[in-house]
Amino acid sequence: MTFLLGIAMSCILVACGGGEQTTEKQETAKTEEVKVEETKKEQTTPSDNTATATVADLPGKGIYTTYCSVCHQADGKGVPNMNPPLVNKEWVGGDKTRLIKVVLNGLNEPITVNGEKYQGVMASHDFLTDKQIANVLTFIRKSFGNDYEAITEEEVAEVRKNNKK
Ligand code: HEC
């Protein structure tokens, strides 16, 4: 009797265990389905859409590395008391004309960035083309945690035309 009961018990246990496994498997299958769906969505996003291009793809990155990162650093955080950070709203996220002029004319005046005072000298970079300036400024406006509107070649051309030092 005990023996039979034992068998019956293990049958129930197995049945239950088996039941649980099936639901678990089903759930895993469901999560995987969702994952696949998500991947599909990502893949269908057009890669030539600039709004979804990653920062590393932006053409201004190379110009930044060549002409700006020596002072403002690869991470845009600058050097305390010397080169101001490019992670800021007032200059990088501020007026486009003023920002374009910083690159065209350089800057040599006491300024405050994120509450810190700087009084260094940044040389003019007017040897860069309108396109290069637009690209590098778009890059900094979308990197290091910044997220501001792009700057176009036409906007730079316009500022250069009216540029008074
Ligand atoms: C020789 C070092 C040096 C280089 C190279 C340099 N900068 Fe600067 N930059 C400075 C300094 C110093 C200041 C602050 C000048 C002042 O206080 O008047 C500054 C200020 C700025 C500002 C305004 C303040 C801020 O932090 O937002 C921007 C924007 C800027 N630089 C962008 C650039 C870009 C873009 C490049 C590359 C095209 C570049 N800089 C290259 C040293 C440099």
Side-chain angles (χ1 to χ4, degrees):
M1 198 49 199
T2 331
F3 174 69
L4 281 177
L5 197 69
I7 292 180
M9 287 285 279
S10 30
C11 278
I12 291 166
L13 283 177
V14 168
C16 287
E20 262 165 26
Q21 266 171 9
T22 333
T23 18
E24 236 172 87
K25 262 188 206 154
Q26 275 169 348
E27 265 163 32
T28 327
K30 257 188 223 159
T31 349
E32 266 163 11
E33 255 171 52
V34 174
K35 270 188 208 153
V36 171
E37 289 267 305
E38 274 168 5
T39 328
K40 269 189 202 157
K41 259 187 227 158
E42 274 165 27
Q43 282 168 346
T44 45
T45 318
S47 55
D48 58 347
N49 184 340
T50 40
T52 55
T54 61
V55 166
D57 296 334
L58 290 175
K61 193 184 182 187
I63 300 159
Y64 182 78
T65 308
T66 309
Y67 297 106
C68 322
S69 70
V70 63
C71 294
H72 294 286
Q73 305 299 295
D75 61 5
K77 294 211 174 92
V79 179
N81 304 314
M82 196 151 78
N83 303 317
L86 297 180
V87 192
N88 70 73
K89 203 164 175 256
E90 58 253 75
W91 289 86
V92 177
D95 182 61
K96 284 181 175 181
T97 303
R98 185 174 75 157
L99 182 61
I100 294 167
K101 279 187 175 174
V102 170
V103 177
L104 283 175
N105 303 334
L107 199 64
N108 184 12
E109 61 185 62
I111 60 167
T112 307
V113 181
N114 297 339
E116 301 283 327
K117 289 193 164 60
Y118 294 87
Q119 191 167 13
V121 177
M122 176 173 150
S124 154
H125 286 68
D126 62 358
F127 54 88
L128 295 172
T129 65
D130 295 342
K131 191 172 185 163
Q132 285 175 317
I133 293 176
N135 284 348
V136 78
L137 290 179
T138 297
F139 172 76
I140 67 169
R141 278 164 69 94
K142 293 193 179 294
S143 304
F144 324 127
N146 294 324
D147 190 10
Y148 306 109
E149 201 193 329
I151 289 189
T152 66
E153 195 179 339
E154 291 72 27
E155 284 168 328
V156 177
E158 192 60 24
V159 175
R160 199 194 289 266
K161 206 172 76 188
N162 303 319
N163 189 27
K164 286 183 221 95
K165 291 196 183 178

